[in-house]
Amino acid sequence: MAGYVSDAVIRRLPGYYRHLRELEAAGVTQISSQELGKRMQLTPSQIRQDINCFGGFGRQGYGYKVSDLKMHIGEILGLNRMHRMIILGVGNIGSAVANYPTFNREGFETVAMFDVDPGKIGTRVGNVPVYPMDELENFLGDNKVDVAVLAVPVKAAQETMDRLSACHVGAVWNFAPTDLHHPDDMIVVNVHLSDSLQILSYKMAHAGEA
Amino acid sequence: MAGYVSDAVIRRLPGYYRHLRELEAAGVTQISSQELGKRMQLTPSQIRQDINCFGGFGRQGYGYKVSDLKMHIGEILGLNRMHRMIILGVGNIGSAVANYPTFNREGFETVAMFDVDPGKIGTRVGNVPVYPMDELENFLGDNKVDVAVLAVPVKAAQETMDRLSACHVGAVWNFAPTDLHHPDDMIVVNVHLSDSLQILSYKMAHAGEA
């Protein structure tokens, strides 16, 4: 396995995995660094450097075996493990996550959703039951949960985060548009949709400058 | 204004904007690079370097004026312009974008949504009317649109992208979990939720290693 892997390389790993999955689905078995680079808008030497960085692979002149490389990157990403996930908040975002087509095959199984709305409690989103938010602590006491998805309104986000950390939930995927306080040993990844839209805005404002 | 601004700095701009907005809302008028760095988990020297990079500000020992810095960063991000936005696909993601609380005040106004589902056509999401997807070209012919949000199923994504580029839509915010072909002069920013979840998976798999 690799030694030090930089943040920039880690950020690119899901892109590699997505492209390799698409190539595999299209029946492509081998790919050169030139072809993969063209697809991913990276230079061939960048591709070779990245792939060396997470453990080498491929032989000069032969390119990479798509299925091997995909499996290897999937392992580095931890996608060969099963994660039990709960979703807090059954709004549009929570429902989108519950219905997302690929999370399950990437090792993330949603086992329960929670909401405060009596109209939602007792229903199901896809196959997933919706429980009262009040039962969160009981549920976490009785069930192994690896990841909590935070999709509650921003005003409830910190309080919900505090309840999760009190129950020692190890990882949170946060969609609330704010940076939340959490214990140092809790893994938190934020999806700030505003940030992404602002990057789009930046690119529009500065188009044609460079 | 600044000269060359690196991708890494650009990626951090929305974070600065978000924290400064929260500070302003909390009534904070001045902030030092130490305090801002602690909030953003960056070193004070990183903060000073970033802020110098986009045009200097603040005086040694006084820190930064929160409202001035926020306004300045907002301008760099292009948030002082109004953008007319349409949303393609009225599923969970499209509805989440339409209902997102902050996009409007950041200069993104959703003017129309489009879907193929007869059950959705003619309804409204919030205040936004839902039109038949067939009317996309007519609408784009009659109305100025700056940004299209692509929230259709993956199998319809490339075809929809092609229709947008044929109508010379300048910018696309893509939520379909695939990288789409588009003209070089079209600005495309992808939100790949799977990528973010895989980064969480990576961090869980490698927790405690470093």
Side-chain angles (χ1 to χ4, degrees):
Chain A
M1 250 291 278
Y4 174 72
V5 181
S6 75
D7 274 358
V9 175
I10 294 168
R11 264 200 307 272
R12 282 198 288 273
L13 284 173
Y16 278 102
Y17 191 81
R18 185 175 60 253
H19 282 281
L20 290 165
R21 193 184 62 212
E22 289 179 0
L23 287 164
E24 194 181 54
V28 178
T29 55
Q30 295 267 131
I31 192 158
S32 67
S33 49
Q34 280 79 6
E35 292 164 316
L36 190 54
K38 201 174 163 197
R39 243 186 112 94
M40 294 186 61
Q41 302 185 304
L42 296 169
T43 64
S45 91
Q46 183 70 76
I47 298 273
R48 286 191 294 267
Q49 227 174 73
D50 282 358
I51 293 179
N52 274 334
C53 173
F54 42 79
F57 250 75
R59 282 172 298 165
Q60 197 67 40
Y62 286 87
Y64 304 102
K65 256 193 100 173
V66 170
S67 60
D68 285 3
L69 189 57
K70 172 179 162 259
M71 197 182 71
H72 187 60
I73 292 175
E75 276 170 17
I76 297 175
L77 285 168
L79 305 185
N80 52 334
R81 313 178 180 196
M82 272 311 288
H83 302 92
R84 289 168 57 88
M85 187 157 85
I86 60 171
I87 299 174
L88 310 178
V90 188
N92 288 313
I93 297 273
S95 303
V97 171
N99 289 321
Y100 211 77
T102 61
F103 295 158
N104 205 58
R105 75 167 180 241
E106 288 164 10
F108 288 83
E109 185 197 5
T110 304
V111 294
M113 300 177 79
F114 295 84
D115 205 287
V116 293
D117 179 351
K120 290 174 179 168
I121 293 164
T123 65
R124 281 174 179 266
V125 177
N127 261 331
V128 183
V130 178
Y131 298 117
M133 194 65 90
D134 286 345
E135 286 180 20
L136 178 62
E137 282 78 5
N138 283 341
F139 186 90
L140 291 171
D142 295 342
N143 296 275
K144 181 178 172 306
V145 168
D146 304 301
V147 182
V149 180
L150 204 56
V152 299
V154 65
K155 64 180 189 304
Q158 185 62 57
E159 186 218 321
T160 312
M161 181 67 117
D162 294 343
R163 291 170 66 182
L164 292 169
S165 65
C167 293
H168 307 289
V169 171
V172 169
W173 198 25
N174 172 41
F175 284 80
T178 185
D179 291 336
L180 300 164
H181 304 284
H182 59 85
D184 285 342
D185 61 350
M186 183 189 248
I187 296 166
V188 177
V189 169
N190 295 302
V191 180
H192 289 321
L193 291 184
S194 257
D195 289 15
S196 171
L197 188 58
Q198 289 179 12
I199 293 294
L200 185 70
S201 175
Y202 176 89
K203 292 189 174 186
M204 292 171 75
H206 299 265
E209 261 179 27
Chain B
M1 246 296 273
Y4 174 72
V5 181
S6 75
D7 275 358
V9 174
I10 294 169
R11 263 201 307 273
R12 283 197 288 275
L13 284 172
Y16 278 102
Y17 190 81
R18 185 175 60 250
H19 283 280
L20 290 164
R21 194 185 60 213
E22 289 179 2
L23 287 162
E24 194 181 54
V28 177
T29 56
Q30 295 267 132
I31 193 157
S32 67
S33 49
Q34 281 78 9
E35 291 164 315
L36 191 54
K38 200 174 165 197
R39 242 186 114 94
M40 294 186 61
Q41 302 184 304
L42 295 168
T43 66
S45 91
Q46 182 71 75
I47 298 271
R48 285 192 296 267
Q49 229 173 70
D50 282 358
I51 292 177
N52 274 334
C53 173
F54 42 81
F57 249 74
R59 282 171 299 165
Q60 197 65 43
Y62 286 85
Y64 304 102
K65 259 193 97 172
V66 170
S67 59
D68 285 2
L69 189 56
K70 170 180 163 258
M71 197 182 69
H72 187 59
I73 292 175
E75 277 170 17
I76 297 174
L77 284 169
L79 305 184
N80 52 335
R81 314 179 180 196
M82 272 311 288
H83 303 91
R84 289 168 58 87
M85 187 156 86
I86 60 171
I87 300 174
L88 309 179
V90 188
N92 288 313
I93 297 272
S95 303
V97 171
N99 289 320
Y100 211 77
T102 62
F103 295 157
N104 206 57
R105 76 166 181 243
E106 288 164 10
F108 288 84
E109 185 198 4
T110 303
V111 293
M113 300 178 78
F114 294 85
D115 205 287
V116 293
D117 180 350
K120 290 174 179 168
I121 293 164
T123 65
R124 281 176 179 266
V125 178
N127 262 329
V128 183
V130 178
Y131 298 118
M133 193 65 90
D134 285 345
E135 287 181 18
L136 177 62
E137 282 79 5
N138 283 339
F139 186 90
L140 290 171
D142 295 342
N143 296 275
K144 184 180 171 302
V145 169
D146 304 301
V147 182
V149 180
L150 204 55
V152 300
V154 67
K155 66 179 186 305
Q158 186 61 58
E159 185 218 322
T160 312
M161 181 68 116
D162 294 343
R163 290 172 65 182
L164 292 169
S165 65
C167 293
H168 306 289
V169 172
V172 168
W173 199 25
N174 172 42
F175 285 80
T178 185
D179 290 336
L180 300 165
H181 303 285
H182 59 84
D184 285 343
D185 61 350
M186 183 188 246
I187 296 166
V188 177
V189 168
N190 296 301
V191 181
H192 289 322
L193 291 184
S194 257
D195 289 16
S196 172
L197 187 58
Q198 289 178 13
I199 295 292
L200 185 71
S201 174
Y202 176 90
K203 291 188 175 187
M204 292 171 76
H206 298 264
E209 263 180 25

